[in-house]
Amino acid sequence: MKLRKILFFILLIFCVNNIAITKEVDEEYNSTPSNDTKISETKKNKKFNYNESYGPTPIFSIGGGFLINPGGYNIDTKLDIPYKDNLYIGPHVYYGSSSDETNFGLTGNIKKVLESEDPKLIPSVEIGAGILVNDEDNNNDDNSSYFLIQIGGGFDRVISDNMSFGIHLYNNYGTDFDDSTNHLTLVAGIQIRLY
């Protein structure tokens, strides 16, 4: 009988202890978040909006870089004119030269500025269509004209309120529906906000 009382007492202590542990775990997982937690979650989920901070203004870009396949160099310039809701439209002109050929492209592009968590780092994507003049062997007597489709994307790093530095990669696909050409351009340049 005495042994039963001891076992019952040990079992009771074990059950009470187990209920206390279960209650602590439930409170840990079911408690409402503190104000600090709510604020940090809000900061994590809030995305930076370029136009809300800097306002939609025309952006002039100039830069240069590498012409990939064929290897060489390129010079780029473009003007992004605000349209609406982080959308920009405007001309993009580039010249690329290698030992095998020269390319001159003119496109009208649509650029979408994407949301970012960092107000100094601005990602964007763009697509455009236009014309490509390709001079094979750089001899100016066998120029070919192509319909050009340009797809690109990259990042701009804000330096000041009216200037940023960016790196962008463009795929330039030209076709005349009988023949086609394709090359990549990697451009590093300065973007200047005009007002």
Side-chain angles (χ1 to χ4, degrees), residues 34-72:
S34 67
N35 285 340
D36 293 339
T37 307
K38 287 179 182 177
I39 291 169
S40 66
E41 285 178 3
T42 304
K43 285 181 181 177
K44 280 184 185 177
N45 294 335
K46 179 148 174 65
K47 299 282 188 183
F48 170 75
N49 186 307
Y50 181 79
N51 278 347
E52 285 177 5
S53 295
Y54 295 104
T57 65
I59 302 169
F60 174 74
S61 303
I62 187 163
F66 300 104
L67 185 66
I68 305 168
N69 190 24

Side-chain angles (χ1 to χ4, degrees), residues 85-97:
D85 297 333
N86 291 330
L87 278 180
Y88 291 77
I89 57 173
H92 182 184
V93 178
Y94 80 94
Y95 172 82
S97 182

Side-chain angles (χ1 to χ4, degrees), residues 38-190:
K38 287 179 182 177
I39 291 169
S40 66
E41 285 178 3
T42 304
K43 285 181 181 177
K44 280 184 185 177
N45 294 335
K46 179 148 174 65
K47 299 282 188 183
F48 170 75
N49 186 307
Y50 181 79
N51 278 347
E52 285 177 5
S53 295
Y54 295 104
T57 65
I59 302 169
F60 174 74
S61 303
I62 187 163
F66 300 104
L67 185 66
I68 305 168
N69 190 24
Y73 71 91
N74 69 300
I75 300 169
D76 282 64
T77 185
K78 63 180 185 163
L79 179 64
D80 296 323
I81 301 165
Y83 179 60
K84 66 173 187 175
D85 297 333
N86 291 330
L87 278 180
Y88 291 77
I89 57 173
H92 182 184
V93 178
Y94 80 94
Y95 172 82
S97 182
S98 70
S99 58
D100 299 329
E101 62 184 84
T102 301
N103 292 292
F104 175 80
L106 172 62
T107 59
N109 283 15
I110 299 172
K111 176 181 175 180
K112 171 73 173 168
V113 175
L114 304 174
E115 290 183 337
S116 169
E117 293 181 4
D118 183 352
K120 297 288 185 183
L121 191 64
I122 314 299
S124 64
V125 293
E126 57 189 286
I127 187 168
I131 188 166
L132 172 69
V133 178
N134 176 266
D135 178 17
E136 292 186 4
D137 300 326
N138 294 324
N139 58 14
N140 262 342
D141 64 356
D142 61 347
N143 294 352
S144 301
S145 296
Y146 296 93
F147 174 69
L148 176 62
I149 299 170
Q150 186 177 70
I151 299 172
F155 295 91
D156 297 325
R157 176 76 179 162
V158 175
I159 300 169
S160 68
D161 284 347
N162 62 350
M163 187 175 290
S164 59
F165 174 79
I167 297 176
H168 296 262
L169 179 66
Y170 295 97
N171 183 39
N172 303 284
Y173 175 75
T175 181
D176 63 2
F177 305 105
D178 289 327
D179 188 19
S180 65
T181 181
N182 192 48
H183 58 276
L184 297 173
T185 54
L186 181 64
V187 182
I190 297 290

